[in-house]
C-alpha cells in the first residue's frame, strides 16, 4: 500500500511526512525544497493487535505496513513541465492513492505561492493540473487509433469511444474518479494509469483552533502539532493529547483513512510466535487471503479455520474458541471478513 502526499509548495507536506514517519526530512521555507520523493513506512494503527497478542502470549506483533511518499510540490501549469511538474507527475503514477494536502492555516512567516490562503482555489489548481496531464495522456493514446477503428477492429472501436468520453470530461478539468464508468470502461481504465483515477483523500492542514471548522468530506490535520507529538516520548504525547482533548493523534486518523481509502480490510494470524495483521482487498476469498502470506498457500489451499477476533479474545484463545464451537471451517468460496483470525490448511 503506497500513498503519495501531494499539494502545492509550502502547504506542510514535508512537516506532515516527518510526523508520520518520525523520519527527519529537509523542511525549508521555500518552494521545491523536496525534489527527490522521501519514502517512509509506518504501521496502520489497530487496537485489536495488542489484545490478540496478549491472549495468544505472542512474542511479537506485526501490524499492516503503509508506505507514504512525500512528493515534490506542484505548481500551476505543471502539466506543461512548469516547476518540477514532469517529475511530480511521474512520482504520482507509482502510488496507489493520493493524500492531497491543502493549506488552511495562517502564518505570515511561511510564504504562500499565491500570496493568500484559499483552500478551495489551491485544491482546484492541483486537481486541474492532474486532469490536464491525464488529458494529454488520452490525446496521445488517440493518435493513430481512429484509423484502426475505421478498419473495423472492434477492440479499437471500443477503446476509441472510451477515450473520446475521457477526452471530453478531462478537458473540462473533471477528474476520472468523478466520471461515471460502466464495467467494461473500468477494465479499459486499468491499462491507462491515469492520475485522477487514483483514490484521493483531501486533508486540510489547519490551525489548532480550526480543527472542527472544515467541510464534511475533509480530514483536518494540524501538521505542526503532529510534528511536535512525534518528537515527544509516549508518556508526554499522551499527556499533550489529553490537554488538547484528542482521543488519538490526527495522524492515526490519517493512516486509518488512507487504509480505508483503498477499500482494504485486515485479517489476523495469532499464536505464540507472533500476532500478524494482513491487508487484503475487501471481498477477497480465503485462498486469496492465504496468498498474502505465501503464494504457495493460495495454490495449495484446502480450507480455512475462522474465528472472529472478538470471539478469540473473549474465549481466551484458539483452543477455547474451538471447544465452545466459535470456530467455523470454510472453503475456497469464503469471503474473508475484517477482523477474522485465520488458520489456513494447505
Amino acid at each position: 500500500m503506497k500513498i503519495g502526499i501531494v499539494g502545492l509548495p509550502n502547504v506542510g507536506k514535508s512537516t506532515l511526512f516527518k510526523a508520520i514517519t518520525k523520519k527527519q526530512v529537509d523542511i525549508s521555507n521555500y518552494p521545491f525544497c523536496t525534489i527527490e520523493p522521501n519514502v517512509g513506512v509506518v504501521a496502520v494503527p489497530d487496537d485489536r493487535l495488542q489484545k490478540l497478542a496478549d491472549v495468544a502470549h505472542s512474542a511479537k506483533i506485526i501490524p499492516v505496513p503503509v508506505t507514504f511518499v512525500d512528493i515534490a510540490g506542484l505548481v500551476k501549469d505543471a502539466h506543461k513541465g512548469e516547476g518540477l511538474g514532469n517529475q511530480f507527475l511521474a512520482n504520482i503514477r507509482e502510488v496507489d492513492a493520493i493524500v492531497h494536502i491543502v493549506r488552511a492555516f495562517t502564518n505570515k512567516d511561511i510564504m504562500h505561492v499565491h500570496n493568500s490562503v484559499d483552500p478551495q482555489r489551491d485544491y482546484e489548481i492541483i486537481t486541474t493540473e492532474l486532469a490536464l496531464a491525464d488529458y494529454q495522456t488520452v490525446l496521445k493514446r488517440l493518435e493513430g487509433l481512429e484509423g484502426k477503428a475505421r478498419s473495423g477492429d472492434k477492440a479499437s472501436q471500443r477503446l476509441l469511444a472510451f477515450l473520446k468520453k475521457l477526452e471530453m470530461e478531462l478537458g473540462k478539468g473533471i477528474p476520472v474518479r468523478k466520471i461515471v464508468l460502466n464495467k467494461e470502461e473500468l477494465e479499459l481504465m486499468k491499462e491507462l494509469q491515469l492520475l485522477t483515477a487514483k483514490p484521493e483523500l483531501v486533508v486540510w492542514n489547519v490551525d489548532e483552533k480550526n480543527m472542527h471548522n472544515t467541510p464534511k468530506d475533509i480530514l483536518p490535520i494540524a501538521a505542526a502539532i503532529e510534528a511536535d507529538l512525534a518528537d515527544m516520548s509516549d508518556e508526554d504525547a499522551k499527556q499533550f493529547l489529553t490537554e488538547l482533548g484528542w482521543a488519538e493523534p490526527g495522524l492515526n486518523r490519517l493512516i486509518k483513512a488512507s487504509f480505508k481509502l483503498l477499500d482494504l480490510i485486515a485479517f489476523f494470524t495469532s499464536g505464540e510466535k507472533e500476532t500478524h495483521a494482513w491487508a487484503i482487498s475487501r471481498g477477497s476469498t480465503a485462498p486469496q487471503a492465504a496468498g498474502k502470506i505465501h503464494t504457495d498457500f493460495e495454490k495449495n489451499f484446502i480450507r480455512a479455520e475462522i474465528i472472529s477476533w472478538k470471539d478469540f479474545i473473549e474465549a481466551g484463545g484458539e483452543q477455547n474458541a474451538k471447544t465452545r464451537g466459535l470456530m467455523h471451517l470454510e472453503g475456497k468460496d469464503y469471503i474473508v471478513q475484517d477482523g477474522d483470525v485465520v488458520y489456513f490448511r494447505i
Side-chain angles (χ1 to χ4, degrees):
M1 181 169 65
K2 191 182 246 186
I3 309 293
I5 302 175
V6 306
L8 289 169
N10 287 8
V11 299
K13 298 189 316 302
S14 294
T15 301
L16 187 62
F17 178 83
K18 174 178 176 287
I20 289 172
T21 62
K22 294 188 179 181
K23 175 180 176 181
Q24 185 64 47
V25 293
D26 191 8
I27 303 170
S28 301
N29 182 26
Y30 58 89
F32 313 130
C33 168
T34 306
I35 298 176
E36 293 298 328
N38 294 295
V39 178
V41 180
V42 296
V44 175
D46 195 326
D47 295 337
R48 298 171 295 184
L49 274 168
Q50 186 62 61
K51 294 174 182 177
L52 290 167
D54 288 344
V55 170
H57 305 293
S58 303
K60 62 180 178 179
I61 293 173
I62 304 176
V64 170
V66 55
T67 300
F68 281 93
V69 182
D70 177 25
I71 299 173
L74 184 69
V75 296
K76 189 175 181 180
D77 291 330
H79 71 283
K80 298 178 182 178
E82 291 294 322
L84 297 170
N86 292 332
Q87 183 173 340
F88 175 99
L89 299 173
N91 290 332
I92 294 179
R93 293 190 196 283
E94 298 176 1
V95 302
D96 300 308
I98 296 169
V99 168
H100 185 164
I101 307 295
V102 181
R103 177 172 174 174
F105 67 88
T106 54
N107 186 332
K108 294 180 180 178
D109 294 329
I110 299 178
M111 64 178 285
H112 191 293
V113 290
H114 295 292
N115 300 315
S116 64
V117 176
D118 186 337
Q120 187 59 36
R121 175 203 61 201
D122 293 352
Y123 173 77
E124 289 174 357
I125 287 172
I126 298 291
T127 300
T128 300
E129 288 305 318
L130 297 183
L132 290 174
D134 283 346
Y135 180 73
Q136 291 182 342
T137 298
V138 168
L139 290 181
K140 288 180 182 178
R141 290 297 301 269
L142 281 169
E143 292 176 6
L145 190 61
E146 290 187 354
K148 289 183 180 179
R150 282 195 298 268
S151 71
D153 183 76
K154 297 297 183 184
S156 295
Q157 290 174 351
R158 288 192 296 270
L159 181 58
L160 178 65
F162 176 52
L163 291 174
K164 287 287 187 182
K165 176 178 179 177
L166 293 180
E167 178 189 16
M168 181 174 65
E169 298 298 325
L170 287 167
K172 301 174 188 174
I174 298 173
V176 173
R177 73 180 70 87
K178 293 187 178 180
I179 302 173
V180 178
L181 303 176
N182 59 38
K183 187 175 181 179
E184 182 182 31
E185 290 171 335
L186 288 171
E187 285 300 314
L188 291 171
M189 175 64 64
K190 292 179 182 178
E191 64 178 87
L192 297 176
Q193 293 187 313
L194 298 178
L195 304 173
T196 62
K198 296 180 183 294
E200 177 192 58
L201 176 66
V202 182
V203 175
W204 279 18
N205 185 7
V206 300
D207 299 305
E208 179 191 341
K209 62 183 178 181
N210 291 322
M211 284 294 293
H212 303 293
N213 296 326
T214 55
K216 182 180 177 181
D217 296 330
I218 304 297
L219 179 66
I221 292 286
I225 292 178
E226 299 298 334
D228 289 341
L229 281 167
D231 288 333
M232 296 179 184
S233 66
D234 290 343
E235 184 177 339
D236 288 344
K238 286 180 181 178
Q239 182 177 344
F240 190 30
L241 286 171
T242 300
E243 293 171 0
L244 291 170
W246 296 3
E248 62 179 349
L251 292 179
N252 282 15
R253 292 185 288 112
L254 172 60
I255 297 168
K256 290 175 183 177
S258 300
F259 187 76
K260 185 178 179 181
L261 182 66
L262 290 169
D263 202 21
L264 298 173
I265 62 170
F267 74 90
F268 306 103
T269 52
S270 187
E272 289 187 2
K273 181 180 179 182
E274 65 186 30
T275 290
H276 199 310
W278 305 87
I280 54 173
S281 298
R282 190 180 302 278
S284 294
T285 63
Q288 289 171 333
K292 287 292 181 180
I293 299 175
H294 197 290
T295 53
D296 286 347
F297 283 21
E298 182 172 5
K299 295 175 186 176
N300 302 314
F301 176 89
I302 297 174
R303 67 177 182 269
E305 299 176 359
I306 309 289
I307 307 169
S308 77
W309 72 275
K310 287 183 179 180
D311 287 342
F312 188 97
I313 292 169
E314 290 172 3
E318 180 182 347
Q319 194 55 50
N320 286 340
K322 287 182 179 180
T323 302
R324 296 182 189 181
L326 298 174
M327 185 200 78
H328 49 104
L329 296 177
E330 300 291 348
K332 294 182 178 181
D333 295 332
Y334 177 71
I335 302 300
V336 176
Q337 302 299 305
D338 184 59
D340 279 349
V341 180
V342 188
Y343 184 84
F344 293 107
R345 296 286 184 182
I346 61 169

